[in-house]
């Protein structure tokens, strides 16, 4: 089980759907329509996808914050073994030659048009979407990401198990 650091006053995100389930935070697991994607010229494996609550933000809190939940996708670079290196901040893009990239340039989720999320971001090593429970009380049955690879896109449907 993940532990909350004594140096911080915020909870640690569960590292997997299993960990989320063990802590009583799991809402649903999702199965992707494909296990491998290409983003920015690099191959990634989709290892885990789930929706999870968080604990309230206070040291060692075991009170679940049901005001929001997050959809999390764990991806790992097939060649390097690194987890989700795309960042929320702009970073240098070696494939794009002298350009800077942002995660939303390469991963898109259109749920924001329905008013219950701001789109894809990054939380720790995960691609993530925040949902406000008041706007979307039950996790969607299908969550669709469009992964962009230079001149081509791949749509992956994450289907609730």
């Amino acid at each position: 089980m993940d532990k909350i650091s004594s140096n911080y006053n915020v909870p640690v995100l569960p590292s997997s759907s299993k960990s989320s389930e063990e802590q009583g935070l799991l809402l649903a697991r999702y199965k992707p329509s494909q296990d491998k994607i290409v983003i920015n010229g690099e191959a990634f494996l989709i290892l885990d996808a789930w929706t999870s609550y968080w604990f309230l933000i206070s040291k060692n809190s075991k009170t679940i914050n049901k005001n929001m939940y997050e959809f999390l996708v764990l991806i790992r670079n097939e060649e390097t073994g690194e987890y989700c290196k795309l960042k929320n901040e702009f970073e240098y893009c070696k494939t794009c030659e002298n350009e800077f990239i942002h995660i939303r340039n390469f991963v898109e989720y259109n749920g924001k048009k329905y008013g219950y999320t701001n789109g894809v971001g990054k939380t720790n090593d995960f691609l993530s979407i925040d949902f406000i429970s008041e706007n979307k009380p039950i996790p969607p049955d299908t969550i669709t990401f469009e992964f962009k690879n230079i001149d081509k896109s791949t749509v992956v449907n994450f289907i609730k198990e």
Side-chain angles (χ1 to χ4, degrees):
M1 177 144 86
D2 299 316
K3 299 202 185 311
I4 298 172
S5 169
S6 60
N7 297 330
Y8 297 98
N9 205 23
V10 295
V12 174
L13 185 67
S15 59
S16 65
S17 60
K18 182 180 179 193
S19 175
S20 185
E21 181 177 38
E22 289 170 351
Q23 295 181 62
L25 301 171
L26 182 70
L27 289 155
R29 284 186 174 90
Y30 288 77
K31 174 103 175 113
S33 56
Q34 62 187 68
D35 296 330
K36 185 176 176 179
I37 46 145
V38 179
I39 305 172
N40 190 25
E42 298 178 304
F44 288 86
L45 301 173
I46 300 172
L47 303 176
D48 201 0
W50 73 100
T51 47
S52 181
Y53 285 123
W54 288 61
F55 290 116
L56 289 177
I57 298 178
S58 64
K59 194 186 309 182
N60 298 320
S61 174
K62 293 297 179 190
T63 304
I64 297 172
N65 177 3
K66 293 195 175 181
N67 293 325
M68 61 87 62
Y69 58 93
E70 217 164 342
F71 174 65
L72 300 157
V73 179
L74 181 61
I75 63 172
R76 184 179 69 213
N77 186 297
E78 188 174 43
E79 184 180 320
T80 67
E82 291 179 9
Y83 291 96
C84 191
K85 72 178 198 171
L86 295 172
K87 298 181 178 184
N88 275 333
E89 301 81 31
F90 289 93
E91 68 176 28
Y92 179 70
C93 170
K94 66 182 179 186
T95 307
C96 305
E97 297 281 333
N98 298 322
E99 290 183 26
F100 286 84
I101 63 167
H102 187 275
I103 195 167
R104 291 186 183 163
N105 291 354
F106 292 97
V107 185
E108 188 174 320
Y109 171 66
N110 290 324
K112 60 186 170 185
K113 70 182 178 184
Y114 304 113
Y116 49 78
T117 185
N118 292 324
V120 178
K122 185 172 179 277
T123 304
N124 299 342
D125 289 330
F126 308 100
L127 296 177
S128 62
I129 301 173
D130 295 331
F131 290 95
I132 305 300
S133 297
E134 182 179 305
N135 296 341
K136 186 68 179 161
I138 299 168
D141 290 336
T142 302
I143 297 175
T144 303
F145 278 8
E146 179 182 354
F147 293 96
K148 299 177 184 177
N149 180 38
I150 303 166
D151 62 349
K152 173 182 162 177
S153 293
T154 301
V155 172
V156 177
N157 293 308
F158 294 89
I159 300 162
K160 192 188 293 187
E161 294 182 347

